[in-house]
Amino acid sequence: MQYESGTPGRRRSSRSRGGLAVLGDDPAFDRPRHVGRPNIGDRDKLMARIEGVLDRNWLTNGGPLVEEFEGEVAAVSGVRHAIATCNGTLALEIAISAAGLAGEVITTPFTFVATAHALRRLGITPVFCDVDPVTHNIDPAQVERLVTPRTTGILGVHLWGRPCAVDELTDIADRHGLRLLFDASHALACSSGGRMIGGFGAAETFSFHATKFVNSFEGGAIVTDDDALAERARLIRNFGFADYDQVRALGTNGKMAEVAAAMGLTSLESRDRFTAVNHQNHAAYRTGLAGVQGIEVVPYDDEELTTRQYVVVEVDETAGLSRDDLQEVLWAENVLARRYFYPGCHRVEPYVTEQDEQRLLMPATDRLAHRLLTLPTGTGVDATDIDVIAGIIERAVELGPLLASALPRRQPAPTPVAPMPSDGQASPE
């Protein structure tokens, strides 16, 4: 077996034109290509920061690196306050609590399940609203019909870093006296209408999970221009402590550790490079898949700042094989494409058993959940990898129904779960 010089784990592109691993050929890659493989910044700077943490013997509880990281995140987002947390889910829960939400909150079913879980764990009922089939974000035209006397807020999600319909949602929230929050886990350093995401609504939250283009190993943040909300969030994050021995609120332990902030700062310093790589990769996929029947690379708005940390393709009926069949083809090649966010929050527990059939009708969400596939990107792949992956997809579509008939039928198709590999690939946040 031969490998290209300097690129361990990638085979030379010398396979037969018709060769696919699901048909008996060797996989295109002997090492998995992941969606969301962690970006690593300057290792020397990271290790120097970690050494400083150890030298100071200040490991947590609002150390200098966390304070510095909060300042950098606030600056990137154009807001006054950033409250760093140990993960993105706690950031959501703390923001929801600090905003005073209760009763029912309208949100999207097409998101990572943590968005809904953060509400439910606080005793709030998530009311799912279908999405716009083009933007994949919550459809403001349908939000207003779901407002009831129990509704206290709207929780939007900037999916793929593409902004929600911020102005429309703000108008609805203002007219009904609702609090508006945004889960901006995908949207650090992205913009909406020329304004940086982070300053919309009462507050927005980020995730710095290992799979994000900027990561802090694991972490999150609440960003806001609301001084009172920021103060409440800081209290909640630290058990309700306002001072050394003064507890003024019900709280939790949501603090970010210093070593996480060290990684966060190092990652932020490389965000321009990470973004450039993502833009190059997205363009390479669009070129490589141009003209492939039934395969569309979901575009980004060139008028907005975007990090393009996700490469999402839509597989329609004209491809001749289903999205799940294409995923199986890719997994056989060690290309671990993912079905974000299948099958939708409304169709997982505990929500699916609590909804009547009418409330489960989310046609746009259901359609997207069965058609979208995310492909490997970030610094873990290069142009040659993308060329190979695009070639696999093109060949799979060429074989079409013949290939689909050779694959085992799955009723219903299970969500594939990758084993946790050594490079830190994790859940599809």
Side-chain angles (χ1 to χ4, degrees), residues 4 33 43 105 117 174 239 243 272 328 348 353 366 416 421:
E4 294 185 19
R33 298 305 192 262
R43 290 171 183 257
V105 170
H117 282 354
D174 289 347
F239 304 101
D243 204 342
D272 289 343
E328 187 165 337
V348 302
T353 58
D366 289 338

Side-chain angles (χ1 to χ4, degrees), residues 47-379:
M47 297 312 297
R49 286 188 168 108
I50 292 173
E51 289 289 344
V53 171
L54 299 178
D55 290 343
R56 287 187 294 275
N57 203 25
W58 190 346
L59 307 185
T60 188
N61 288 350
L65 294 188
V66 168
E67 184 176 345
E68 183 182 355
F69 182 65
E70 290 177 332
E72 292 295 326
V73 170
V76 169
S77 308
V79 297
R80 289 195 300 274
H81 304 284
I83 300 94
T85 60
C86 57
N87 59 61
T89 303
L90 260 295
L92 267 175
E93 290 190 13
I94 292 168
I96 290 164
S97 294
L101 298 185
E104 297 177 351
V105 170
I106 299 167
T107 192
T108 171
F110 198 52
T111 179
F112 187 56
V113 73
T115 307
H117 282 354
L119 293 166
R120 180 59 187 274
R121 281 172 49 79
L122 294 171
I124 298 168
T125 300
V127 176
F128 296 118
C129 175
D130 207 1
V131 299
D132 183 304
V134 175
T135 68
H136 305 175
N137 287 319
I138 192 169
D139 184 357
Q142 301 186 53
V143 167
E144 198 150 13
R145 298 199 295 268
L146 296 172
V147 176
T148 74
R150 284 179 46 79
T151 307
T152 61
I154 302 168
L155 175 55
V157 178
H158 305 295
L159 203 67
W160 320 128
R162 305 195 306 174
C164 284
V166 172
D167 292 341
E168 291 90 336
L169 292 174
T170 300
D171 177 64
I172 293 168
D174 289 347
R175 284 190 287 103
H176 290 277
L178 306 176
R179 295 287 256 174
L180 177 60
L181 300 178
F182 291 101
D183 179 341
S185 294
H186 292 183
L188 178 75
C190 297
S191 68
S192 175
R195 288 179 55 194
M196 296 306 295
I197 287 175
F200 297 110
E204 307 199 50
T205 64
F206 293 127
S207 169
F208 300 108
H209 184 267
T211 57
K212 298 299 183 287
F213 95 107
V214 165
N215 76 83
S216 61
F217 299 136
E218 179 77 272
I222 303 152
V223 287
T224 183
D225 277 321
D226 185 324
D227 297 342
L229 189 150
E231 182 178 0
R232 289 194 296 275
R234 291 190 178 98
L235 282 173
I236 296 168
R237 176 185 63 175
N238 188 29
F239 304 101
F241 277 96
D243 204 342
Y244 184 73
D245 55 4
Q246 297 180 26
V247 179
R248 295 183 180 173
L250 177 66
T252 187
N253 184 2
K255 301 185 298 295
M256 175 178 280
E258 281 287 275
V259 69
M263 182 60 175
L265 287 165
T266 304
S267 194
L268 277 173
E269 289 173 344
S270 296
R271 71 183 184 278
D272 289 343
R273 177 170 66 86
F274 297 156
T275 299
V277 168
N278 289 342
H279 277 246
Q280 292 165 6
N281 290 349
H282 192 268
Y285 275 115
R286 294 195 71 177
T287 298
L289 295 172
V292 177
Q293 183 73 27
I295 304 294
E296 179 186 1
V297 179
V298 173
Y300 289 88
D301 185 350
D302 290 332
E303 299 300 314
E304 299 286 2
L305 292 175
T306 65
T307 61
R308 306 193 184 194
Q309 65 177 305
Y310 296 94
V311 175
V312 185
V313 296
E314 185 167 352
V315 184
D316 70 30
E317 295 80 4
T318 64
L321 75 168
S322 71
R323 183 276 312 275
D324 290 343
D325 288 335
L326 179 57
Q327 183 190 45
E328 187 165 337
V329 169
L330 291 167
W331 274 54
E333 306 286 356
N334 254 333
V335 178
L336 302 188
R338 300 298 294 267
R339 304 188 300 184
Y340 285 35
F341 289 101
Y342 179 85
C345 293
H346 63 305
R347 296 196 179 276
V348 302
E349 296 295 350
Y351 314 106
V352 65
T353 58
E354 297 173 347
Q355 306 285 335
D356 59 39
E357 287 299 318
Q358 189 64 31
R359 295 296 290 270
L360 286 174
L361 295 178
M362 303 278 164
T365 296
D366 289 338
R367 181 174 181 273
L368 291 171
H370 285 83
R371 292 162 66 103
L372 295 187
L373 198 62
T374 56
L375 301 177
T377 188
T379 56

